[in-house]
Amino acid sequence: CDWNLDKREIDGEEMMNRYEELVALALEARESAYAPYSHFKVGAALLCKDGSVYTGCNVENASFSATNCAERTAFFKAVSEGKREFAAIAICGGKGGNIEGSFPPCGVCRQVMREFCEDDFEIHLLTKEVIETYTLSQLLPVSFQPDTIKKEDTLFFLTLCSIIFHL
Ligand code: THU
């Protein structure tokens, strides 16, 4: 894949083509969905800031709770290969072979996105006619995130110092 977000400016038309291509990869990934229980087939294509793309599908399990969503499959594949910076994800899903409305990411997947992505991370949802685009901060406005824990750690450290040094 020749996408490289860091190295060149991208005009509007090129941007549109990029997302159409990303959506096409999500549609392709959806074909591998393992969904014998819900019959909802979901595909995702995750664009890294270095231009590489990782795809994923949902993988269901007879114990239901062990099911993995398409978005998390894509993220875990990418992170497990060393990727840490992400620009956008395209998601498509629906019952059986159909795409009707958009298929928004579940709360757990949004939380996984939050771990690695900035507020402006783009989430492209395929519907029958159009691609709906959101940012992560739109879909998860008030979130628990890595910074939340860092702040807590700093507070704990300062409290500890003030106790030890009688500040
Ligand atoms: N699913 C996803 O793949 N992504 C989501 O964000 C929501 C739900 C899958 C899980 C399950 O296999 C099926 O859709 C029905 O919930």
Side-chain angles (χ1 to χ4, degrees):
C1 170
D2 63 356
W3 294 332
N4 194 328
L5 290 180
D6 292 328
K7 286 198 184 133
R8 55 203 177 104
E9 290 286 309
I10 297 152
D11 65 27
E13 199 181 327
E14 203 180 337
M15 188 84 94
M16 194 60 213
N17 292 340
R18 179 197 309 281
Y19 295 133
E20 278 177 6
E21 205 172 330
L22 203 61
V23 167
L25 289 171
L27 277 167
E28 201 179 305
R30 185 172 179 262
E31 286 168 22
S32 302
Y34 176 74
Y37 306 108
S38 76
H39 305 290
F40 275 93
K41 294 185 170 187
V42 191
L46 175 62
L47 175 62
C48 305
K49 283 192 177 171
D50 67 3
S52 54
V53 175
Y54 287 79
T55 59
C57 63
N58 54 333
V59 183
E60 295 189 346
N61 191 283
S63 78
F64 293 5
S65 65
T67 292
N68 207 53
C69 292
E71 299 88 322
R72 274 177 290 143
T73 304
F75 265 91
F76 295 157
K77 279 168 71 178
V79 172
S80 67
E81 293 200 9
K83 305 294 172 176
R84 293 291 185 273
E85 295 194 326
F86 304 101
I89 192 167
I91 306 164
C92 59
K95 197 134 195 166
N98 305 323
I99 305 278
E100 298 288 340
S102 61
F103 205 84
C106 77
V108 177
C109 289
R110 292 177 198 200
Q111 188 65 33
V112 168
M113 291 172 191
R114 181 77 280 178
E115 187 65 26
F116 299 102
C117 305
E118 309 287 325
D119 279 350
D120 63 354
F121 177 71
E122 292 174 5
I123 299 160
H124 301 279
L125 307 178
L126 180 66
T127 73
K128 211 169 180 178
E129 290 99 16
V130 289
I131 301 172
E132 290 175 7
T133 298
Y134 301 91
T135 60
L136 180 57
S137 61
Q138 283 177 310
L139 295 193
L140 198 64
V142 182
S143 61
F144 191 84
Q145 52 184 289
D147 268 0
T148 318
I149 292 183
K150 277 183 207 144
K151 273 183 207 143
E152 291 296 321
D153 280 353
T154 311
L155 204 64
F156 176 74
F157 180 72
L158 289 176
T159 312
L160 202 67
C161 284
S162 69
I163 292 168
I164 292 171
F165 300 110
H166 306 290
L167 298 174

